[in-house]
């Protein structure tokens, strides 16, 4: 079976869709910032480098419903079959964070598969894991100085 190559380059797809696509989010505040909701965009920045729909090789990291991390990668060999060209690996909530880092780093490094986004992918895993940690309860702050003396005299 021969591998089919796309008839359109990634650069042409980006040039056609960069000003208008389903993932584009424009904000008037902050100097007209543009963001992306693409699930295969690691930093949610609207640019060709991080665009998941315009690159044959893309990686996405999201939180899973059970408290774990889901890593999605596109297969570069089958761009004409969008339903079959994604590989998803889900790490459970009990999986060690370093093991997830190693899995993401090896996925982005194998056979020249986007080593330029390795650091962003590991940072995204770190942010997802940090957001899943239980919130620490902060103890009530004790009054100091004049407020403390005032509280002692009133008791």
């Amino acid at each position: 079976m021969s591998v089919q190559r796309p008839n359109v380059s990634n650069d042409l797809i980006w040039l056609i869709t960069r000003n208008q696509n389903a993932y584009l989010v424009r904000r008037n505040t902050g100097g007209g910032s543009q963001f992306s909701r693409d699930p295969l965009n690691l930093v949610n920045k609207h640019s060709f480098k991080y665009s998941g729909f315009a690159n044959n090789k893309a990686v996405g990291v999201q939180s899973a419903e059970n408290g774990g991390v889901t890593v999605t990668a596109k297969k570069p060999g089958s761009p004409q079959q969008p339903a079959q060209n994604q590989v998803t690996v889900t790490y459970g909530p009990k999986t060690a964070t370093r093991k997830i880092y190693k899995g993401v780093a090896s996925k982005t490094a194998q056979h020249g598969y986007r080593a330029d986004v390795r650091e962003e992918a590991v940072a995204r895993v770190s942010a997802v894991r940090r957001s899943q940690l239980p919130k620490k309860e902060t103890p009530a702050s004790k009054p100091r100085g004049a407020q403390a003396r005032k509280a002692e005299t009133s008791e």
Side-chain angles (χ1 to χ4, degrees):
M1 182 173 136
S2 66
V3 176
Q4 296 178 356
R5 296 287 174 206
N7 293 334
V8 182
S9 71
N10 293 336
D11 296 322
L12 183 60
I13 291 172
W14 175 250
L15 288 173
I16 292 170
T17 60
R18 72 178 174 182
N19 292 325
Q20 188 174 10
N21 63 62
Y23 301 119
L24 179 60
V25 178
R26 291 185 174 153
R27 296 286 182 240
N28 292 332
T29 59
S33 303
Q34 292 184 343
F35 301 103
S36 177
R37 288 188 177 135
D38 188 0
L40 296 176
N41 189 327
L42 291 168
V43 294
N44 296 338
K45 186 188 286 187
H46 182 67
S47 69
F48 175 68
K49 178 180 179 179
Y50 299 112
S51 174
F53 66 88
N55 285 310
N56 284 342
K57 298 176 182 179
V59 179
V61 176
Q62 295 182 344
S63 63
E65 293 126 12
N66 64 352
V69 177
T70 301
V71 179
T72 307
K74 281 175 79 174
K75 292 182 198 175
S78 58
Q80 288 86 7
Q81 301 166 336
Q84 299 171 358
N85 77 344
Q86 290 188 358
V87 176
T88 303
V89 178
T90 302
Y91 296 96
K94 304 261 185 197
T95 306
T97 306
R98 286 181 184 235
K99 185 175 182 179
I100 300 172
Y101 290 163
K102 187 175 180 181
V104 170
S106 67
K107 180 62 184 164
T108 57
Q110 61 179 271
H111 310 295
Y113 187 96
R114 299 298 302 265
D116 60 330
V117 296
R118 180 182 310 131
E119 192 173 325
E120 287 89 355
V122 172
R124 180 74 176 232
V125 170
S126 178
V128 168
R129 293 295 283 208
R130 222 180 8 250
S131 72
Q132 293 171 344
L133 291 175
K135 302 294 180 202
K136 292 183 179 178
E137 293 184 28
T138 56
S141 61
K142 293 190 227 177
R144 295 179 178 217
Q147 292 180 347
R149 286 190 290 271
K150 187 177 179 183
E152 287 176 4
T153 58
S154 65
E155 291 177 351

